[in-house]
């Protein structure tokens, strides 16, 4: 309550910007009663007199009427779009109506926190305004905050017990009780889904007459399942998430457990089932995984005999030696197999230089040509006809030892092809 002895009783300042209008549902009865009591107490302590002020700034003549009492209380509660320069009983009625205060003409409706405006007799204007804290229709006794007379302002208490003595038209504007949300529930509390699906969760907020029925939607793991401001859940990746709707009013909430399953691989297919290649040649296997939305579509390639045929993880198969190997493409729990045969390609010819002259102590490695290049077994055996003149290593290195002649022969492992070089040592 912004009411202190150091602050003058200003209802509205000239030229003040109008704030966003509030409605009756945004205040509670208890807060309204406290606001009215504080204004009445301030007016009494500071010797305000009863009367309708028509000055632009009402504090200049320190007058306060019943309607001004209510207007100031509403101002302190945040109702700041009232007209500058004063408010009369008549304009108070339209103001209350426009801000959602419940209207009635039945005195029995008077209750805790009611704003009552009374039209007495046959007069053509509204003559009295006060706020009731309680009212007993059987005895017509009310406890009210009122400033209708000088004596009431100067009374020791800010309210009096008085009989309900008005016999004519009575307008009652009731301040609604702020009803809080007591529960939030869902139409589903658990769901098992696949990635890429969506569904609507409907939230029931009780009571239906609650003042603020807004809920905030939250996902415990937005990477697994996201939720919109209206409760639409979208599944994104395998895992578990909890979707909650939390009451903005009381914090009560409801939850739904969402499990997002993996989409399993149902089939793996290779572009080849069998393939025959020669040594050192290669080809590419391509795998197709179904369904297209499988969670994990990664393909792993494996060779049953990597010494016969190797395979890289992009599916490239390389023939290494003659034989048969099974190349398996595996994704999830499914797989496909291609049988690869590396055929034997015999050596057709071996050639090297036919003559060579070396000095004693010198060495030389002749170049050997094997045809075809993809021959399966290119193992060579080297021999010297005169090891005292020239020797030859297992890799074909010729070393001159003494003067003379020697024939160096290279033979394929099968013994079917050979080449010779006559070495002269000087």
């Amino acid at each position: 309550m912004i009411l202190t002895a150091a602050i003058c009783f200003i209802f509205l300042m000239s030229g003040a910007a109008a704030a966003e209008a509030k409605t009756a549902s945004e205040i509670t009865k208890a807060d309204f009663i406290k606001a009215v009591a504080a204004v009445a107490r301030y007016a009494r302590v500071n010797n305000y007199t009863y009367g309708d002020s028509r000055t632009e700034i009402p504090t200049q003549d320190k007058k306060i009427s019943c309607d001004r009492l209510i207007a100031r209380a509403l101002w302190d509660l945040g109702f700041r779009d009232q007209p500058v320069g004063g408010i009369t009983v008549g304009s108070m009625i339209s103001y209350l109506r426009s801000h959602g205060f419940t209207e009635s003409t039945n005195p029995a409706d008077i209750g805790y926190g009611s704003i009552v405006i009374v039209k007495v007799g046959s007069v053509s204007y509204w003559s009295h305004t006060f706020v009731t804290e309680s009212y007993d229709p059987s005895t017509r006794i009310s406890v009210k905050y009122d400033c209708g007379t000088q004596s009431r302002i100067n009374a020791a208490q800010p309210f009096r017990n008085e009989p309900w003595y008005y016999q004519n038209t009575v307008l009652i504007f009731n301040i609604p009780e702020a009803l809080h949300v007591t529960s939030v529930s869902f139409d589903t509390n658990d769901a098992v889904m696949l990635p890429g699906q969506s569904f609507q969760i409907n939230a029931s907020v009780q009571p239906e007459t609650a003042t603020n029925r807004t809920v905030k939607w939250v996902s415990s793991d937005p990477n697994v399942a996201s939720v919109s401001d209206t409760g639409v859940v979208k599944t994104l990746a395998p895992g578990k998430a909890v979707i909650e709707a939390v009451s903005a009013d009381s914090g009560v909430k409801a939850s739904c457990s969402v499990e997002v399953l993996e989409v399993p691989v149902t089939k793996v297919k290779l572009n080849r089932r069998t393939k025959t290649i020669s040594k050192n040649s290669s080809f590419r296997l391509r795998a197709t995984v179904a369904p297209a939305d499988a969670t994990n579509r990664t393909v792993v390639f494996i060779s049953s005999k990597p010494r016969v045929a190797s395979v890289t993880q992009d599916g490239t198969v390389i023939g290494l030696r003659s034989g048969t190997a099974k190349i398996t493409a595996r994704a999830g729990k499914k797989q496909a197999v291609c049988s690869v045969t590396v055929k034997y390609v015999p050596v057709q010819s071996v050639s090297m230089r036919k003559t060579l002259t070396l000095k004693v102590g010198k060495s030389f490695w002749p170049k050997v040509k094997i045809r075809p290049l993809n021959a399966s077994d290119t193992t060579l055996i080297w021999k010297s006809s005169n090891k005292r003149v020239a020797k030859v290593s297992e890799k074909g290195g010729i070393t001159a030892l003494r003067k003379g002649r020697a024939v160096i022969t290279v033979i394929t492992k099968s013994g079917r092809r050979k080449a010779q070089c006559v070495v002269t040592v000087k």
Side-chain angles (χ1 to χ4, degrees):
M1 185 59 58
I2 309 176
L3 290 171
T4 65
I7 302 177
C8 294
F9 192 151
I10 302 175
F11 166 51
L12 280 174
M13 291 188 178
S14 176
E20 184 179 352
K22 283 193 174 184
T23 61
S25 62
E26 295 178 81
I27 64 171
T28 65
K29 295 177 181 179
D31 287 341
F32 183 73
I33 292 295
K34 290 179 182 178
V36 172
V39 175
R41 187 179 303 109
Y42 183 91
R44 185 178 66 252
V45 171
N46 289 275
N47 299 316
Y48 275 74
T49 59
Y50 179 78
D52 286 324
S53 173
R54 292 295 178 264
T55 60
E56 188 170 8
I57 301 177
T59 55
Q60 290 181 352
D61 55 10
K62 296 185 69 173
K63 290 183 178 181
I64 182 171
S65 62
C66 308
D67 47 280
R68 283 195 176 281
L69 173 72
I70 296 172
R72 176 63 207 206
L74 292 176
W75 172 268
D76 289 339
L77 290 167
F79 290 72
R80 304 211 175 180
D81 59 343
Q82 302 168 56
V84 174
I87 186 167
T88 65
V89 175
S91 62
M92 172 62 76
I93 294 173
S94 61
Y95 180 82
L96 294 171
R97 286 172 177 164
S98 67
H99 284 71
F101 291 88
T102 304
E103 182 177 345
S104 173
T105 57
N106 184 2
D109 290 337
I110 298 173
Y112 172 59
S114 299
I115 302 175
V116 183
I117 301 177
V118 182
K119 181 179 180 181
V120 181
S122 60
V123 296
S124 60
Y125 57 89
W126 299 98
S127 60
H128 197 69
T129 309
F130 59 87
V131 178
T132 63
E133 184 178 20
S134 64
Y135 175 70
D136 184 353
S138 63
T139 61
R140 312 190 90 177
I141 299 295
S142 65
V143 176
K144 56 183 175 288
Y145 294 93
D146 189 12
C147 62
T149 65
Q150 176 74 32
S151 62
R152 292 196 181 107
I153 286 183
N154 295 329
Q157 300 296 326
F159 60 86
R160 291 276 190 95
N161 292 325
E162 296 187 13
W164 185 262
Y165 52 85
Y166 302 108
Q167 302 296 321
N168 297 89
T169 305
V170 177
L171 274 178
I172 303 161
F173 292 86
N174 290 313
I175 301 175
E177 188 69 73
L179 295 179
H180 296 293
V181 173
T182 58
S183 69
V184 179
S185 60
F186 286 161
D187 56 352
T188 181
N189 297 109
D190 56 80
V192 179
M193 310 288 289
L194 295 174
Q197 295 182 322
S198 63
F199 68 101
Q200 172 74 55
I201 298 180
N202 296 305
S204 175
V205 180
Q206 298 298 326
E208 293 184 356
T209 54
T211 304
N212 184 0
R213 303 179 74 246
T214 305
V215 294
K216 180 181 180 181
W217 294 87
V218 181
S219 171
S220 64
D221 193 342
N223 294 321
V224 173
S226 65
V227 62
S228 72
D229 292 340
T230 58
V232 177
V233 178
K234 292 184 178 180
T235 56
L236 303 173
K240 293 182 179 181
V242 177
I243 305 299
E244 291 184 340
V246 184
S247 167
D249 172 60
S250 62
V252 298
K253 59 187 177 181
S255 62
C256 174
S257 298
V258 178
E259 182 178 4
V260 183
L261 302 178
E262 291 191 357
V263 178
V265 174
T266 58
K267 186 178 181 180
V268 178
K269 184 179 179 181
L270 288 172
N271 59 330
R272 300 296 297 263
R273 291 186 178 181
T274 61
K275 180 72 174 177
T276 299
I277 59 175
S278 58
K279 179 184 175 182
N280 296 326
S281 64
S282 64
F283 73 102
R284 177 84 177 272
L285 280 175
R286 289 179 171 82
T288 303
V289 178
D293 62 345
T295 302
N296 186 357
R297 304 178 73 248
T298 302
V299 178
V300 178
F301 289 94
I302 303 171
S303 173
S304 64
K305 295 181 180 179
R307 296 181 65 183
V308 172
S310 66
V311 61
T312 63
Q313 289 311 303
D314 68 352
T316 300
V317 180
I318 303 172
L320 300 177
R321 60 188 296 181
S322 59
T324 301
K326 293 184 182 299
I327 306 300
T328 301
R330 182 175 298 145
K333 295 182 179 181
K334 301 295 180 179
Q335 64 183 35
V337 177
C338 175
S339 179
V340 177
T341 299
V342 182
K343 67 180 181 179
Y344 183 81
V345 179
V347 175
Q348 298 297 326
S349 67
V350 178
S351 63
M352 66 177 174
R353 65 186 300 166
K354 295 184 181 298
T355 61
L356 177 66
T357 300
L358 290 175
K359 290 183 179 181
V360 174
K362 298 297 182 179
S363 296
F364 183 77
W365 279 262
K367 293 182 180 180
V368 179
K369 295 181 179 179
I370 300 174
R371 293 290 185 274
L373 295 176
N374 64 341
S376 296
D377 193 347
T378 59
T379 304
L380 299 175
I381 300 171
W382 295 84
K383 293 181 180 181
S384 173
S385 64
N386 192 340
K387 296 180 180 179
R388 296 177 65 186
V389 173
K391 66 177 182 179
V392 63
S393 68
E394 292 181 353
K395 295 184 178 180
I398 301 171
T399 303
L401 300 175
R402 60 187 297 180
K403 293 181 179 180
R405 278 188 167 186
V407 178
I408 303 300
T409 304
V410 60
I411 310 170
T412 62
K413 189 175 182 181
S414 65
R416 298 180 61 184
R417 298 287 182 267
K418 68 180 180 179
Q420 289 181 327
C421 176
V422 178
V423 179
T424 302
V425 180
K426 291 183 178 183

